[in-house]
Amino acid sequence: MSPEAPAMLDRRAVLKASLLAGGGLALEALIPLPASALEAMGERSSAAALSAFVSIAPDGTVTIVAKNPEIGQGVKTSLPMMVAEELDCDWSQVRIAQADLDSKRYGEQSAGGSTSTPKNWLPMRQTGAAARAMLVQAAAHEWKVAAGEIATARGRLFHQASGRSLGYGEVASRAAALTPPDLGSVPLKRPDEFTIIGRPVVGIDSARIVRGEPIFGIDTRLPGMLYAIYQVAPAHGGRLVKADTDAAMRSPGVRYVLPIRGNGDADTGLADGVAIVATNWWLAEQARSKLQVEWNLSAAKGHSSTEYRAKANAAIDAGAGGDLRLDGDPSRKLAAAAKRIAARYDYPFIAHAPMEPQNCTARYRDGHLEVWAPTQTPQRGLEALQRALGLAPESVTLHLTRAGGGFGRRLMNDYVLQVAAIAMAVPGVPVQLLWSREDDIRRDYYRPGGWHHFEAGISAQGELIAFSDHFVTFGDGTTPARAAAFNASMPPAGLIQDLRYRQSMIPTVVTTGALRAPGSNALCFASQSFLDEVAQAAGTDLPRLMLGLLGTRREIPGRDNAAVFDTGRARDVIERVMQTSNWSGSTPQSGRAKGFAFYFSHRGYFAEVVDASVARGEVAVHKVWVAGDIGSQIVNPLGAENQVRGAVIDGLAQALTGQAIEFVDGVVQQSNFNDFPLARMPMAPEIDIAWVRSDRPPTGLGEPALPPVIPALTNAIYSATGQRVRSLPVRLSA
């Protein structure tokens, strides 16, 4: 079915219409995800019901509930745009209301994985179209004409034959009394009829942010609120033995000092800690230095970066581990190759470091917990509260606040558990927990480090005929740590006949997690950098090598539930970025050159070229060209460009600023932006973005533009200097 064709949702889809207090239409849609949305997400089974809520007041104001968390990815604007488009209202009439957590009403509420657009593309539009159909029917009753004679535009209904018109608000109350239509039969607009989708729209909260309005979690204020810090063990995996709290308790402004025993799950549960609660945060932070705490740190002994590196190299040298994928006979092909090359690549642990540190506010009274949380996964937060603290989900009210950056860090709810435990210890008192920057960097769920040993065989004709990658990651020997898994469908898998992907694991006590473009942000650097080496050895360049490997346009099924890979879509973005960047090869010019990389992740196809120069060991990035295919439609071009630009700058920062987290016996050695630096404005290059439209349903954009920029940069550095970057962050000799 064409992605623009009307969605055919099954009979489980239900609309419920009601009259607003004071008049108007309230429309609630309980919509199971359609098959096309599931296919776009690569899902194999049915998902939870999806809901939307639309109301139209008598004055024509349209209120659309934003059900998902807003972390800067723009869904609080783009999802209502889908509804408003099919409703055919004027965007200036739209107001957006942030939903609280209510899984019975809204189904899944989360932010992550670049899934919001594919999950919501059809259901949100269906809801808007259904509301429009009800308004048309109400006007037809009012004018006693056929519904087919009525047109809509910008929040008004028109009967051309009689010259009459009505505003939506004038018939909203009448529409509320009608039987809602069958969602499976509601027609949708053609793309050439869109007036809101595809138009650049400023983020709904942008002006409020510029004005400094209190919309973030850190801005939550309640009468009588106290402020808390939560001191945990200095080493990951540490447990509380005993705490002397007297000196801290005597500190100015301190009201409570609370040793808290966790639930024994240092990875996803409540960690042991000592909370200090005071009349303001600074006083609580100052009292921290007076705590006398004994910790059991034995579990972290030996968990050091130097030990991890040694174990990884030993595993590669020994050929340890097991095969994740074995196609053909790569060992034989390697032995018979006219040219054989090998290289090792590695990358470090990385912290998320969002600008808003972890925080959460809670109040516990009469057996009920009320929470204000900037979380990406509020429903998981409820589950964690039940596991760790025995709180039934029905005894918790969770308000979603805007998050000052997520990047995957707020997929975890450790800070929610901590403030809940504190609030339960001081019932009736609202408490805001705020981590210091040092807490945030040292207690992260880090992007895990990894090591790769690549080998490639090249024929006498310059063709890649064999490929292998021995990947060393973190895990228990059977299951990789969170976000530490390998992608067995990663190119050149599926593009050559003889290939091996092998994996070894190292145990760790360090908490790991998803960072923007999880997995892909590291795997792309290693694989596309080595393939650039392959291209050089084969007498060509990386984009032409990739085009040769992709071959004819076809679809290649993914392994282990990975999405289908379309070689034609990959070819299109590679050819487009070669065109926009005037790619002519990778010959260096006085220390300045271009580098290329491609990757497919989160169902987005992206090819990127970086123009960089190197002088006295310092790298300057002048321009980045991006070509991306995320389907048939860009919902909000302004938001889409912002996501791409942010992803490019994020990737460059990971490579160039020195971002790396190191451990000594489980203790993080970095503490703040002085030794874990972020991107600064002068390093932001010019970024040229080209969209390649395909006939597929639209997919997400928060992540897939990031991975290629890192190897495109390192490949540019090689072309400019001859120095091959095989370890991140980039460190060059002068």
Side-chain angles (χ1 to χ4, degrees), residues 103-387:
S103 58
K104 291 182 180 178
R105 190 174 197 183
Y106 299 113
E108 181 186 354
Q109 295 175 265
S110 65
S114 294
T115 59
S116 289
T117 296
K119 286 182 178 180
N120 290 283
W121 171 244
L122 293 177
M124 294 296 104
R125 292 172 62 204
Q126 285 274 358
T127 303
R132 174 186 174 276
M134 295 175 70
L135 294 166
V136 168
Q137 190 63 46
H141 290 168
E142 178 82 15
W143 291 329
K144 296 181 174 54
V145 300
E149 298 177 20
I150 298 175
T152 60
R154 300 177 69 86
R156 294 193 67 82
L157 302 116
F158 301 92
H159 185 244
Q160 187 173 6
S162 64
R164 288 175 290 185
S165 72
L166 287 169
Y168 282 178
E170 296 177 79
V171 296
S173 296
R174 180 186 287 270
L178 299 177
T179 301
D182 178 358
L183 278 172
S185 63
V186 176
L188 300 179
K189 288 183 178 182
R190 301 187 310 272
D192 60 6
E193 297 174 315
F194 289 162
T195 60
I196 296 175
I197 290 175
R199 191 185 85 187
V201 174
V202 175
I204 200 70
D205 285 336
S206 295
R208 299 180 66 192
I209 293 170
V210 171
R211 290 194 297 265
E213 292 187 23
I215 62 175
F216 295 94
I218 200 172
D219 298 320
T220 303
R221 295 293 181 269
L222 299 172
M225 188 173 79
L226 298 180
Y227 299 82
I229 62 98
Y230 193 75
Q231 177 74 10
V232 298
H236 283 250
R239 299 301 303 271
L240 176 64
V241 177
K242 61 182 179 180
D244 182 347
T245 62
D246 290 346
M249 188 65 213
R250 291 192 298 269
S251 299
V254 172
R255 296 288 183 82
Y256 307 96
V257 181
L258 307 166
I260 294 175
R261 297 284 179 177
N263 65 339
D265 183 359
D267 186 25
T268 61
L270 176 63
D272 290 359
V274 180
I276 301 176
V277 185
T279 53
N280 68 53
W281 181 84
W282 182 247
L283 293 176
E285 178 67 15
Q286 291 300 295
R288 187 198 300 242
S289 63
K290 298 179 182 179
L291 283 174
Q292 299 294 319
V293 186
E294 181 181 342
W295 304 97
N296 180 349
L297 306 180
S298 59
K301 190 69 175 176
H303 286 269
S304 302
S305 298
T306 54
E307 293 295 323
Y308 289 157
R309 282 191 285 270
K311 289 179 179 179
N313 287 323
I316 290 172
D317 291 341
D323 287 339
L324 294 173
R325 177 168 183 158
L326 179 61
D327 297 344
D329 191 349
S331 297
R332 183 179 64 83
K333 282 293 184 70
L334 282 168
K339 186 177 292 186
R340 183 172 177 174
I341 65 171
R344 295 188 183 187
Y345 282 78
D346 65 84
Y347 38 82
F349 285 80
I350 293 180
H352 295 79
M355 291 308 297
E356 178 192 29
Q358 309 318 307
N359 67 90
C360 195
T361 304
R363 178 173 54 207
Y364 182 76
R365 59 186 177 187
D366 302 326
H368 185 271
L369 181 71
E370 191 170 10
V371 180
W372 290 260
T375 172
Q376 293 180 237
T377 55
Q379 286 159 316
R380 290 188 198 170
L382 286 191
E383 296 164 4
L385 287 168
Q386 185 170 27
R387 287 195 308 269

Side-chain angles (χ1 to χ4, degrees), residues 477-495:
T478 302
T479 304
R482 189 183 301 102
F486 188 80
N487 176 13
S489 296
M490 181 178 70
L495 304 176

Side-chain angles (χ1 to χ4, degrees), residues 626-639:
V626 180
D629 176 357
I630 56 168
S632 61
Q633 184 66 56
I634 307 296
V635 176
N636 182 1
L638 182 60

